[in-house]
Amino acid sequence: MARPRVTLSPAEIAAMEWTPVTGSPDSFEKILSRDPLTGSHTRLLKALPGSTIGQVLVHDFWEETYILEGGWWEGETFHGAG
């Protein structure tokens, strides 16, 4: 099953609110697309400097995250910009 195509302009993305990420008080997200049947989603993630996630987050849906600058540690893995 193909994922639906979502087209957002830079102005539309800029107008979206950053919302807190559950379980990570120093991280915020903008959900760009979400599949209501599976929970799979594409998001922008913003974390405050020095933020950490103490454990690897495991879930039963597909997730795509874009990190535009900075990065964060998830367990023993560093996720950086790009």
Side-chain angles (χ1 to χ4, degrees):
M1 179 162 87
R3 292 178 40 205
R5 180 183 172 119
V6 176
T7 303
L8 297 168
S9 71
E12 289 171 309
I13 294 170
M16 297 170 76
E17 295 292 324
W18 288 101
T19 58
V21 175
T22 303
S24 183
D26 295 336
S27 300
F28 304 88
E29 64 186 357
K30 289 184 180 187
I31 301 295
L32 303 180
S33 70
R34 181 185 307 271
D35 182 328
L37 298 177
T38 66
S40 297
H41 59 271
T42 300
R43 68 180 179 165
L44 291 178
L45 180 68
K46 174 172 72 172
L48 299 177
S51 297
T52 60
I53 298 172
Q55 63 185 20
V56 175
L57 303 177
V58 178
H59 38 68
D60 59 356
F61 56 85
W62 183 83
E63 176 182 56
E64 180 176 58
T65 301
Y66 291 102
I67 305 170
L68 302 179
E69 64 181 64
W72 86 94
W73 286 95
E74 183 178 33
E76 298 296 318
T77 303
F78 181 76
H79 302 277

